[in-house]
């Protein structure tokens, strides 16, 4: 890592997470599970994530993020070309949240897309999001050649 790069940091709330992402010195950020970001907090993080090109791992487990926050994060990931891991375990994404996220992420992988998007993401943790009964019915779960996760 270059000089000034911080390996891992934990944020206690959305304001702290946003400030840390803006610093452009982190490789990994974890938001404390009691921060309860929700969709509004996830959207704020997504907004600053679009401008950051250093973060490689983002851990947002147990944050009460729903479909709106999932879609905002998906859009941000398409503009962030270095993030390799996104952990969204124990949220409230549900089937529709995963479907909305997969739709925007899969656009970058489409053979017909001229958008560069995030093609380096390798880990997307979605367990404990209430998707089990419907799992397998979106671009992320199918994992075809258009979106090889």
């Amino acid at each position: 890592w270059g000089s000034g790069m911080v390996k891992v940091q934990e944020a206690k709330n959305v304001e702290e997470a946003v400030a840390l992402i803006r610093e452009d010195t982190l490789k990994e950020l974890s938001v404390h599970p009691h921060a309860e970001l929700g969709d509004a907090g996830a959207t704020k993080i997504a907004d600053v994530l679009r401008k950051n090109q250093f973060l490689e791992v983002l851990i947002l487990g147990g944050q009460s993020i729903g479909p709106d926050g999932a879609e905002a994060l998906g859009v941000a990931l398409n503009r962030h070309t270095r993030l390799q891991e996104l952990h969204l375990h124990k949220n409230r994404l549900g089937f529709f949240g995963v479907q909305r996220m997969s739709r925007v992420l899969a656009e970058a992988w489409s053979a017909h897309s001229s958008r560069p998007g995030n093609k380096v993401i390798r880990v997307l943790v979605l367990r404990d999001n209430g998707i089990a009964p419907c799992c397998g019915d979106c671009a992320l779960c199918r994992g075809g050649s258009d979106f090889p996760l």
Side-chain angles (χ1 to χ4, degrees):
W1 291 328
S3 65
M5 296 303 287
V6 176
K7 185 177 178 183
V8 180
Q9 188 76 32
E10 181 177 80
K12 294 178 182 76
N13 53 48
V14 68
E15 293 81 12
E16 193 173 304
V18 165
L20 289 167
I21 293 170
R22 281 190 179 136
E23 288 180 14
D24 287 339
T25 59
L26 287 180
K27 292 286 188 180
E28 181 176 324
L29 176 64
S30 175
V31 178
H32 193 279
H34 297 294
E36 294 289 318
L37 297 177
D39 286 335
T43 300
K44 286 180 183 178
I45 287 174
D47 288 343
V48 296
L49 190 60
R50 291 177 191 170
K51 299 171 188 124
N52 173 292
Q53 290 301 312
F54 295 97
L55 200 62
E56 295 177 0
V57 178
L58 180 58
I59 303 170
L60 300 174
Q63 297 298 329
S64 300
I65 298 170
D68 292 340
E71 184 172 22
L73 289 166
V75 169
L77 283 178
N78 271 343
R79 294 193 178 124
H80 193 291
T81 57
R82 290 196 58 180
L83 196 77
Q84 297 174 27
E85 295 185 26
L86 177 60
H87 298 253
L88 293 171
H89 54 285
K90 296 183 181 179
N91 277 289
R92 298 177 182 163
L93 303 182
F95 172 70
F96 294 110
V98 172
Q99 187 178 49
R100 287 167 66 181
M101 177 185 273
S102 72
R103 186 172 40 247
V104 296
L105 283 174
E107 288 174 10
W109 288 93
S110 169
H112 307 291
S113 177
S114 61
R115 295 176 55 195
N118 182 323
K119 294 185 179 180
V120 299
I121 192 160
R122 296 290 173 246
V123 176
L124 183 58
V125 180
L126 298 172
R127 73 177 181 275
D128 299 324
N129 270 290
I131 60 173
C134 302
C135 195
D137 195 27
C138 71
L140 290 177
C141 294
R142 285 192 300 269
S145 61
D146 286 343
F147 198 70
L149 277 184

